[in-house]
Amino acid sequence: MLHLIFLVLNTFLAFIPIELSFHIDKKRPHNPILFWVIVIIWLLFYPNTPYLLTDLFHLSLLQPYGSNGLLRLNNYMWFNYALLMISTISSTVLGFWGLDRVAKAIADRLHMHHLVFTNVVIVILTILSSIGIFIGRFLRIHTIYLFLTPEQFIKPLLNMWSSSALLFIGLLTIIQLLFFYLIKLIQLNHFQDE
């Protein structure tokens, strides 16, 4: 049996940066200090959104294949599959929308209106997100603990770097950027068709 309690917490943590991104744009918040504080908080929580992509490994706990090697037709299994997919896809897509919004707001606040600069910001934020996903998935350090007991995590954060960690971070960065730019391509195509 797959216990989806983790999904409730992970979806809630993914919702925090999505909600924050609604409050970040070119004009809001008007106070520049408040803007950067909200962006930093957004960045600390943002990796929780694409982190859900790694939760898809929990699908294996559903034991989807029967003894005959074919997918099982089991209502409980497919219901859990639907919950996991709905949470992952909706949070990730909304998270990418927020990433785009925040990157554009950062570029605007820095008076760097060129599209190349905005894309550099997106890549940097995505790399930082992949590092955050690694920290959460393998060091099991949740964002909230960084606020509650940051001194406990300095040493593990400094010692986490290895070739395997860099490979994971690189792969997750590529996956996120691929999905992000596919969504942007669909958006662009949609607006051109109108």
Side-chain angles (χ1 to χ4, degrees), residues 23-61:
H23 304 283
I24 301 170
D25 64 23
K26 296 175 181 181
K27 297 179 182 176
R28 290 183 308 162
H30 185 68
N31 182 313
I33 294 171
L34 183 58
F35 171 82
W36 290 109
V37 167
I38 293 175
V39 166
I40 290 168
I41 294 170
W42 173 89
L43 180 59
L44 288 173
F45 281 95
Y46 176 71
N48 291 299
T49 302
Y51 179 90
L52 287 170
L53 293 171
T54 66
D55 278 344
L56 293 177
F57 277 105
H58 294 296
L59 290 172
S60 65
L61 299 175

mmCIF file of all heavy atoms in Angstrom, residues 23-61:
data_model
loop_
_atom_site.group_PDB
_atom_site.id
_atom_site.type_symbol
_atom_site.label_atom_id
_atom_site.label_comp_id
_atom_site.label_asym_id
_atom_site.label_seq_id
_atom_site.Cartn_x
_atom_site.Cartn_y
_atom_site.Cartn_z
ATOM 1 N N HIS A 23 2.555 37.500 -5.803
ATOM 2 C CA HIS A 23 2.814 38.796 -5.178
ATOM 3 C C HIS A 23 4.109 39.438 -5.665
ATOM 4 O O HIS A 23 4.557 40.439 -5.101
ATOM 5 C CB HIS A 23 2.844 38.635 -3.657
ATOM 6 C CG HIS A 23 1.588 38.030 -3.120
ATOM 7 N ND1 HIS A 23 0.420 38.745 -2.973
ATOM 8 C CD2 HIS A 23 1.300 36.755 -2.746
ATOM 9 C CE1 HIS A 23 -0.526 37.951 -2.517
ATOM 10 N NE2 HIS A 23 -0.015 36.739 -2.370
ATOM 11 N N ILE A 24 4.713 38.854 -6.685
ATOM 12 C CA ILE A 24 5.958 39.373 -7.246
ATOM 13 C C ILE A 24 5.734 39.679 -8.713
ATOM 14 O O ILE A 24 5.357 38.804 -9.483
ATOM 15 C CB ILE A 24 7.108 38.344 -7.114
ATOM 16 C CG1 ILE A 24 7.359 37.979 -5.657
ATOM 17 C CG2 ILE A 24 8.380 38.872 -7.773
ATOM 18 C CD1 ILE A 24 8.307 36.799 -5.473
ATOM 19 N N ASP A 25 5.941 40.920 -9.079
ATOM 20 C CA ASP A 25 5.951 41.279 -10.501
ATOM 21 C C ASP A 25 6.733 42.570 -10.664
ATOM 22 O O ASP A 25 7.414 43.012 -9.740
ATOM 23 C CB ASP A 25 4.539 41.358 -11.102
ATOM 24 C CG ASP A 25 3.674 42.447 -10.501
ATOM 25 O OD1 ASP A 25 4.207 43.426 -9.953
ATOM 26 O OD2 ASP A 25 2.440 42.324 -10.599
ATOM 27 N N LYS A 26 6.637 43.181 -11.816
ATOM 28 C CA LYS A 26 7.446 44.366 -12.114
ATOM 29 C C LYS A 26 7.160 45.523 -11.162
ATOM 30 O O LYS A 26 8.032 46.339 -10.898
ATOM 31 C CB LYS A 26 7.211 44.802 -13.552
ATOM 32 C CG LYS A 26 7.667 43.785 -14.567
ATOM 33 C CD LYS A 26 7.309 44.209 -15.959
ATOM 34 C CE LYS A 26 7.771 43.141 -16.946
ATOM 35 N NZ LYS A 26 7.466 43.495 -18.326
ATOM 36 N N LYS A 27 5.942 45.596 -10.653
ATOM 37 C CA LYS A 27 5.556 46.728 -9.817
ATOM 38 C C LYS A 27 5.294 46.357 -8.363
ATOM 39 O O LYS A 27 5.131 47.241 -7.526
ATOM 40 C CB LYS A 27 4.303 47.380 -10.397
ATOM 41 C CG LYS A 27 4.529 47.959 -11.782
ATOM 42 C CD LYS A 27 3.266 48.569 -12.325
ATOM 43 C CE LYS A 27 3.529 49.085 -13.745
ATOM 44 N NZ LYS A 27 2.333 49.601 -14.377
ATOM 45 N N ARG A 28 5.218 45.076 -8.068
ATOM 46 C CA ARG A 28 4.895 44.661 -6.705
ATOM 47 C C ARG A 28 5.964 43.740 -6.160
ATOM 48 O O ARG A 28 6.465 42.889 -6.907
ATOM 49 C CB ARG A 28 3.555 43.916 -6.675
ATOM 50 C CG ARG A 28 2.387 44.777 -6.920
ATOM 51 C CD ARG A 28 1.105 43.997 -6.796
ATOM 52 N NE ARG A 28 1.151 42.789 -7.626
ATOM 53 C CZ ARG A 28 0.367 41.756 -7.489
ATOM 54 N NH1 ARG A 28 -0.537 41.745 -6.572
ATOM 55 N NH2 ARG A 28 0.441 40.708 -8.274
ATOM 56 N N PRO A 29 6.256 43.809 -4.893
ATOM 57 C CA PRO A 29 5.898 44.918 -4.014
ATOM 58 C C PRO A 29 6.677 46.179 -4.388
ATOM 59 O O PRO A 29 7.782 46.095 -4.926
ATOM 60 C CB PRO A 29 6.270 44.432 -2.629
ATOM 61 C CG PRO A 29 7.218 43.311 -2.815
ATOM 62 C CD PRO A 29 7.001 42.766 -4.189
ATOM 63 N N HIS A 30 6.074 47.282 -4.098
ATOM 64 C CA HIS A 30 6.674 48.558 -4.502
ATOM 65 C C HIS A 30 7.983 48.827 -3.755
ATOM 66 O O HIS A 30 8.946 49.335 -4.332
ATOM 67 C CB HIS A 30 5.670 49.698 -4.253
ATOM 68 C CG HIS A 30 6.154 51.006 -4.756
ATOM 69 N ND1 HIS A 30 6.308 51.280 -6.097
ATOM 70 C CD2 HIS A 30 6.549 52.126 -4.097
ATOM 71 C CE1 HIS A 30 6.766 52.507 -6.242
ATOM 72 N NE2 HIS A 30 6.917 53.045 -5.047
ATOM 73 N N ASN A 31 8.019 48.472 -2.492
ATOM 74 C CA ASN A 31 9.224 48.662 -1.680
ATOM 75 C C ASN A 31 10.315 47.705 -2.158
ATOM 76 O O ASN A 31 10.128 46.485 -2.133
ATOM 77 C CB ASN A 31 8.887 48.405 -0.211
ATOM 78 C CG ASN A 31 10.066 48.617 0.703
ATOM 79 O OD1 ASN A 31 11.167 48.137 0.439
ATOM 80 N ND2 ASN A 31 9.826 49.326 1.789
ATOM 81 N N PRO A 32 11.482 48.220 -2.590
ATOM 82 C CA PRO A 32 12.527 47.337 -3.124
ATOM 83 C C PRO A 32 13.081 46.342 -2.104
ATOM 84 O O PRO A 32 13.412 45.206 -2.459
ATOM 85 C CB PRO A 32 13.611 48.292 -3.610
ATOM 86 C CG PRO A 32 13.268 49.631 -3.080
ATOM 87 C CD PRO A 32 11.850 49.625 -2.659
ATOM 88 N N ILE A 33 13.171 46.739 -0.843
ATOM 89 C CA ILE A 33 13.677 45.814 0.184
ATOM 90 C C ILE A 33 12.698 44.661 0.362
ATOM 91 O O ILE A 33 13.092 43.489 0.395
ATOM 92 C CB ILE A 33 13.931 46.543 1.524
ATOM 93 C CG1 ILE A 33 15.069 47.556 1.344
ATOM 94 C CG2 ILE A 33 14.247 45.548 2.640
ATOM 95 C CD1 ILE A 33 15.272 48.474 2.513
ATOM 96 N N LEU A 34 11.413 44.980 0.434
ATOM 97 C CA LEU A 34 10.397 43.947 0.568
ATOM 98 C C LEU A 34 10.388 43.033 -0.656
ATOM 99 O O LEU A 34 10.231 41.816 -0.531
ATOM 100 C CB LEU A 34 9.017 44.584 0.775
ATOM 101 C CG LEU A 34 7.856 43.618 1.009
ATOM 102 C CD1 LEU A 34 8.120 42.729 2.226
ATOM 103 C CD2 LEU A 34 6.555 44.398 1.183
ATOM 104 N N PHE A 35 10.584 43.621 -1.837
ATOM 105 C CA PHE A 35 10.646 42.813 -3.057
ATOM 106 C C PHE A 35 11.732 41.751 -2.940
ATOM 107 O O PHE A 35 11.488 40.559 -3.178
ATOM 108 C CB PHE A 35 10.922 43.715 -4.263
ATOM 109 C CG PHE A 35 11.210 42.948 -5.533
ATOM 110 C CD1 PHE A 35 10.179 42.446 -6.303
ATOM 111 C CD2 PHE A 35 12.523 42.709 -5.941
ATOM 112 C CE1 PHE A 35 10.443 41.720 -7.462
ATOM 113 C CE2 PHE A 35 12.798 41.991 -7.098
ATOM 114 C CZ PHE A 35 11.747 41.502 -7.867
ATOM 115 N N TRP A 36 12.952 42.166 -2.558
ATOM 116 C CA TRP A 36 14.065 41.213 -2.498
ATOM 117 C C TRP A 36 13.894 40.203 -1.368
ATOM 118 O O TRP A 36 14.295 39.039 -1.504
ATOM 119 C CB TRP A 36 15.398 41.946 -2.411
ATOM 120 C CG TRP A 36 15.712 42.636 -3.703
ATOM 121 C CD1 TRP A 36 15.699 43.980 -3.952
ATOM 122 C CD2 TRP A 36 16.043 42.003 -4.952
ATOM 123 N NE1 TRP A 36 16.002 44.220 -5.278
ATOM 124 C CE2 TRP A 36 16.222 43.026 -5.919
ATOM 125 C CE3 TRP A 36 16.203 40.683 -5.353
ATOM 126 C CZ2 TRP A 36 16.553 42.761 -7.247
ATOM 127 C CZ3 TRP A 36 16.529 40.413 -6.681
ATOM 128 C CH2 TRP A 36 16.704 41.448 -7.605
ATOM 129 N N VAL A 37 13.277 40.610 -0.262
ATOM 130 C CA VAL A 37 13.008 39.669 0.831
ATOM 131 C C VAL A 37 12.044 38.584 0.355
ATOM 132 O O VAL A 37 12.269 37.387 0.582
ATOM 133 C CB VAL A 37 12.440 40.411 2.073
ATOM 134 C CG1 VAL A 37 11.854 39.422 3.082
ATOM 135 C CG2 VAL A 37 13.512 41.270 2.720
ATOM 136 N N ILE A 38 10.981 38.984 -0.352
ATOM 137 C CA ILE A 38 10.015 38.004 -0.859
ATOM 138 C C ILE A 38 10.665 37.107 -1.913
ATOM 139 O O ILE A 38 10.421 35.899 -1.945
ATOM 140 C CB ILE A 38 8.752 38.707 -1.408
ATOM 141 C CG1 ILE A 38 7.989 39.364 -0.260
ATOM 142 C CG2 ILE A 38 7.845 37.713 -2.134
ATOM 143 C CD1 ILE A 38 6.805 40.188 -0.693
ATOM 144 N N VAL A 39 11.527 37.662 -2.760
ATOM 145 C CA VAL A 39 12.221 36.854 -3.763
ATOM 146 C C VAL A 39 13.113 35.813 -3.091
ATOM 147 O O VAL A 39 13.159 34.651 -3.511
ATOM 148 C CB VAL A 39 13.030 37.735 -4.749
ATOM 149 C CG1 VAL A 39 14.011 36.904 -5.567
ATOM 150 C CG2 VAL A 39 12.090 38.504 -5.675
ATOM 151 N N ILE A 40 13.820 36.208 -2.028
ATOM 152 C CA ILE A 40 14.690 35.260 -1.314
ATOM 153 C C ILE A 40 13.859 34.153 -0.659
ATOM 154 O O ILE A 40 14.204 32.971 -0.751
ATOM 155 C CB ILE A 40 15.572 35.989 -0.281
ATOM 156 C CG1 ILE A 40 16.623 36.828 -1.014
ATOM 157 C CG2 ILE A 40 16.229 35.005 0.688
ATOM 158 C CD1 ILE A 40 17.372 37.802 -0.150
ATOM 159 N N ILE A 41 12.741 34.530 -0.040
ATOM 160 C CA ILE A 41 11.863 33.515 0.560
ATOM 161 C C ILE A 41 11.308 32.606 -0.535
ATOM 162 O O ILE A 41 11.267 31.379 -0.387
ATOM 163 C CB ILE A 41 10.732 34.172 1.378
ATOM 164 C CG1 ILE A 41 11.324 34.909 2.587
ATOM 165 C CG2 ILE A 41 9.705 33.130 1.835
ATOM 166 C CD1 ILE A 41 10.347 35.794 3.322
ATOM 167 N N TRP A 42 10.897 33.207 -1.667
ATOM 168 C CA TRP A 42 10.423 32.415 -2.804
ATOM 169 C C TRP A 42 11.505 31.421 -3.233
ATOM 170 O O TRP A 42 11.212 30.240 -3.450
ATOM 171 C CB TRP A 42 10.052 33.340 -3.965
ATOM 172 C CG TRP A 42 9.711 32.603 -5.218
ATOM 173 C CD1 TRP A 42 8.486 32.139 -5.589
ATOM 174 C CD2 TRP A 42 10.615 32.229 -6.269
ATOM 175 N NE1 TRP A 42 8.569 31.488 -6.800
ATOM 176 C CE2 TRP A 42 9.861 31.533 -7.239
ATOM 177 C CE3 TRP A 42 11.980 32.408 -6.491
ATOM 178 C CZ2 TRP A 42 10.438 31.022 -8.406
ATOM 179 C CZ3 TRP A 42 12.550 31.896 -7.649
ATOM 180 C CH2 TRP A 42 11.781 31.213 -8.590
ATOM 181 N N LEU A 43 12.745 31.890 -3.351
ATOM 182 C CA LEU A 43 13.841 31.033 -3.806
ATOM 183 C C LEU A 43 14.108 29.892 -2.822
ATOM 184 O O LEU A 43 14.408 28.771 -3.231
ATOM 185 C CB LEU A 43 15.116 31.853 -4.022
ATOM 186 C CG LEU A 43 16.339 31.081 -4.505
ATOM 187 C CD1 LEU A 43 16.053 30.388 -5.832
ATOM 188 C CD2 LEU A 43 17.532 32.025 -4.648
ATOM 189 N N LEU A 44 13.981 30.152 -1.536
ATOM 190 C CA LEU A 44 14.189 29.099 -0.543
ATOM 191 C C LEU A 44 13.123 28.009 -0.640
ATOM 192 O O LEU A 44 13.408 26.836 -0.406
ATOM 193 C CB LEU A 44 14.208 29.691 0.868
ATOM 194 C CG LEU A 44 15.455 30.501 1.222
ATOM 195 C CD1 LEU A 44 15.277 31.187 2.574
ATOM 196 C CD2 LEU A 44 16.693 29.617 1.239
ATOM 197 N N PHE A 45 11.900 28.398 -1.003
ATOM 198 C CA PHE A 45 10.809 27.425 -1.092
ATOM 199 C C PHE A 45 10.599 26.880 -2.499
ATOM 200 O O PHE A 45 10.003 25.817 -2.664
ATOM 201 C CB PHE A 45 9.501 28.031 -0.566
ATOM 202 C CG PHE A 45 9.419 28.043 0.926
ATOM 203 C CD1 PHE A 45 9.784 29.170 1.642
ATOM 204 C CD2 PHE A 45 8.988 26.929 1.622
ATOM 205 C CE1 PHE A 45 9.713 29.191 3.016
ATOM 206 C CE2 PHE A 45 8.927 26.925 3.000
ATOM 207 C CZ PHE A 45 9.287 28.066 3.704
ATOM 208 N N TYR A 46 11.079 27.583 -3.515
ATOM 209 C CA TYR A 46 10.813 27.164 -4.895
ATOM 210 C C TYR A 46 11.255 25.730 -5.220
ATOM 211 O O TYR A 46 10.522 25.012 -5.910
ATOM 212 C CB TYR A 46 11.432 28.147 -5.904
ATOM 213 C CG TYR A 46 11.240 27.664 -7.323
ATOM 214 C CD1 TYR A 46 9.979 27.674 -7.910
ATOM 215 C CD2 TYR A 46 12.299 27.146 -8.061
ATOM 216 C CE1 TYR A 46 9.780 27.185 -9.196
ATOM 217 C CE2 TYR A 46 12.114 26.656 -9.346
ATOM 218 C CZ TYR A 46 10.855 26.683 -9.905
ATOM 219 O OH TYR A 46 10.657 26.195 -11.163
ATOM 220 N N PRO A 47 12.396 25.248 -4.733
ATOM 221 C CA PRO A 47 12.772 23.860 -5.074
ATOM 222 C C PRO A 47 11.736 22.814 -4.659
ATOM 223 O O PRO A 47 11.710 21.716 -5.209
ATOM 224 C CB PRO A 47 14.090 23.653 -4.323
ATOM 225 C CG PRO A 47 14.665 25.030 -4.219
ATOM 226 C CD PRO A 47 13.472 25.934 -4.004
ATOM 227 N N ASN A 48 10.868 23.156 -3.715
ATOM 228 C CA ASN A 48 9.813 22.224 -3.313
ATOM 229 C C ASN A 48 8.838 21.944 -4.450
ATOM 230 O O ASN A 48 8.185 20.899 -4.458
ATOM 231 C CB ASN A 48 9.041 22.776 -2.106
ATOM 232 C CG ASN A 48 9.890 22.788 -0.856
ATOM 233 O OD1 ASN A 48 10.343 21.761 -0.395
ATOM 234 N ND2 ASN A 48 10.123 23.977 -0.331
ATOM 235 N N THR A 49 8.741 22.868 -5.391
ATOM 236 C CA THR A 49 7.802 22.682 -6.492
ATOM 237 C C THR A 49 8.305 21.623 -7.477
ATOM 238 O O THR A 49 7.633 20.610 -7.683
ATOM 239 C CB THR A 49 7.523 24.036 -7.175
ATOM 240 O OG1 THR A 49 6.994 24.934 -6.188
ATOM 241 C CG2 THR A 49 6.516 23.896 -8.281
ATOM 242 N N PRO A 50 9.488 21.783 -8.103
ATOM 243 C CA PRO A 50 9.956 20.715 -8.985
ATOM 244 C C PRO A 50 10.414 19.463 -8.229
ATOM 245 O O PRO A 50 10.585 18.402 -8.823
ATOM 246 C CB PRO A 50 11.111 21.362 -9.762
ATOM 247 C CG PRO A 50 11.555 22.501 -8.926
ATOM 248 C CD PRO A 50 10.345 22.963 -8.172
ATOM 249 N N TYR A 51 10.588 19.573 -6.903
ATOM 250 C CA TYR A 51 10.920 18.401 -6.076
ATOM 251 C C TYR A 51 9.883 17.300 -6.268
ATOM 252 O O TYR A 51 10.196 16.109 -6.214
ATOM 253 C CB TYR A 51 10.970 18.825 -4.601
ATOM 254 C CG TYR A 51 11.266 17.724 -3.623
ATOM 255 C CD1 TYR A 51 12.576 17.432 -3.258
ATOM 256 C CD2 TYR A 51 10.248 16.984 -3.033
ATOM 257 C CE1 TYR A 51 12.857 16.424 -2.340
ATOM 258 C CE2 TYR A 51 10.521 15.977 -2.114
ATOM 259 C CZ TYR A 51 11.829 15.708 -1.774
ATOM 260 O OH TYR A 51 12.112 14.719 -0.879
ATOM 261 N N LEU A 52 8.646 17.702 -6.515
ATOM 262 C CA LEU A 52 7.572 16.721 -6.709
ATOM 263 C C LEU A 52 7.857 15.791 -7.883
ATOM 264 O O LEU A 52 7.357 14.662 -7.917
ATOM 265 C CB LEU A 52 6.236 17.438 -6.906
ATOM 266 C CG LEU A 52 5.639 18.072 -5.646
ATOM 267 C CD1 LEU A 52 4.453 18.949 -6.003
ATOM 268 C CD2 LEU A 52 5.247 17.019 -4.636
ATOM 269 N N LEU A 53 8.657 16.244 -8.837
ATOM 270 C CA LEU A 53 9.025 15.364 -9.954
ATOM 271 C C LEU A 53 9.771 14.130 -9.445
ATOM 272 O O LEU A 53 9.637 13.039 -10.007
ATOM 273 C CB LEU A 53 9.887 16.120 -10.976
ATOM 274 C CG LEU A 53 9.198 17.240 -11.749
ATOM 275 C CD1 LEU A 53 10.219 18.049 -12.547
ATOM 276 C CD2 LEU A 53 8.123 16.673 -12.671
ATOM 277 N N THR A 54 10.553 14.297 -8.387
ATOM 278 C CA THR A 54 11.281 13.151 -7.842
ATOM 279 C C THR A 54 10.373 12.247 -7.025
ATOM 280 O O THR A 54 10.714 11.094 -6.768
ATOM 281 C CB THR A 54 12.494 13.589 -6.988
ATOM 282 O OG1 THR A 54 12.031 14.286 -5.821
ATOM 283 C CG2 THR A 54 13.440 14.471 -7.785
ATOM 284 N N ASP A 55 9.209 12.766 -6.609
ATOM 285 C CA ASP A 55 8.242 11.924 -5.898
ATOM 286 C C ASP A 55 7.631 10.864 -6.806
ATOM 287 O O ASP A 55 7.017 9.916 -6.324
ATOM 288 C CB ASP A 55 7.119 12.777 -5.298
ATOM 289 C CG ASP A 55 7.504 13.413 -3.977
ATOM 290 O OD1 ASP A 55 8.495 12.968 -3.366
ATOM 291 O OD2 ASP A 55 6.812 14.350 -3.550
ATOM 292 N N LEU A 56 7.798 11.019 -8.116
ATOM 293 C CA LEU A 56 7.246 10.026 -9.042
ATOM 294 C C LEU A 56 7.868 8.647 -8.824
ATOM 295 O O LEU A 56 7.280 7.644 -9.214
ATOM 296 C CB LEU A 56 7.417 10.483 -10.490
ATOM 297 C CG LEU A 56 6.604 11.723 -10.881
ATOM 298 C CD1 LEU A 56 6.896 12.123 -12.316
ATOM 299 C CD2 LEU A 56 5.117 11.489 -10.681
ATOM 300 N N PHE A 57 9.032 8.576 -8.181
ATOM 301 C CA PHE A 57 9.624 7.274 -7.865
ATOM 302 C C PHE A 57 8.727 6.485 -6.910
ATOM 303 O O PHE A 57 8.788 5.262 -6.870
ATOM 304 C CB PHE A 57 11.022 7.430 -7.261
ATOM 305 C CG PHE A 57 12.081 7.612 -8.302
ATOM 306 C CD1 PHE A 57 12.660 8.848 -8.527
ATOM 307 C CD2 PHE A 57 12.506 6.544 -9.080
ATOM 308 C CE1 PHE A 57 13.632 9.024 -9.497
ATOM 309 C CE2 PHE A 57 13.475 6.700 -10.051
ATOM 310 C CZ PHE A 57 14.043 7.945 -10.262
ATOM 311 N N HIS A 58 7.879 7.182 -6.168
ATOM 312 C CA HIS A 58 6.967 6.482 -5.265
ATOM 313 C C HIS A 58 5.933 5.656 -6.016
ATOM 314 O O HIS A 58 5.269 4.805 -5.424
ATOM 315 C CB HIS A 58 6.269 7.472 -4.326
ATOM 316 C CG HIS A 58 7.194 8.140 -3.362
ATOM 317 N ND1 HIS A 58 7.888 7.440 -2.395
ATOM 318 C CD2 HIS A 58 7.545 9.439 -3.208
ATOM 319 C CE1 HIS A 58 8.634 8.279 -1.695
ATOM 320 N NE2 HIS A 58 8.442 9.496 -2.166
ATOM 321 N N LEU A 59 5.795 5.902 -7.306
ATOM 322 C CA LEU A 59 4.867 5.096 -8.101
ATOM 323 C C LEU A 59 5.236 3.615 -8.056
ATOM 324 O O LEU A 59 4.371 2.755 -8.160
ATOM 325 C CB LEU A 59 4.841 5.585 -9.556
ATOM 326 C CG LEU A 59 4.185 6.949 -9.799
ATOM 327 C CD1 LEU A 59 4.406 7.392 -11.236
ATOM 328 C CD2 LEU A 59 2.701 6.894 -9.472
ATOM 329 N N SER A 60 6.519 3.331 -7.903
ATOM 330 C CA SER A 60 6.942 1.920 -7.849
ATOM 331 C C SER A 60 6.347 1.211 -6.639
ATOM 332 O O SER A 60 6.166 -0.015 -6.657
ATOM 333 C CB SER A 60 8.463 1.818 -7.828
ATOM 334 O OG SER A 60 8.973 2.384 -6.630
ATOM 335 N N LEU A 61 6.012 1.957 -5.579
ATOM 336 C CA LEU A 61 5.418 1.355 -4.394
ATOM 337 C C LEU A 61 4.003 0.856 -4.656
ATOM 338 O O LEU A 61 3.458 0.077 -3.878
ATOM 339 C CB LEU A 61 5.409 2.363 -3.236
ATOM 340 C CG LEU A 61 6.780 2.861 -2.773
ATOM 341 C CD1 LEU A 61 6.625 3.931 -1.722
ATOM 342 C CD2 LEU A 61 7.623 1.713 -2.264
#
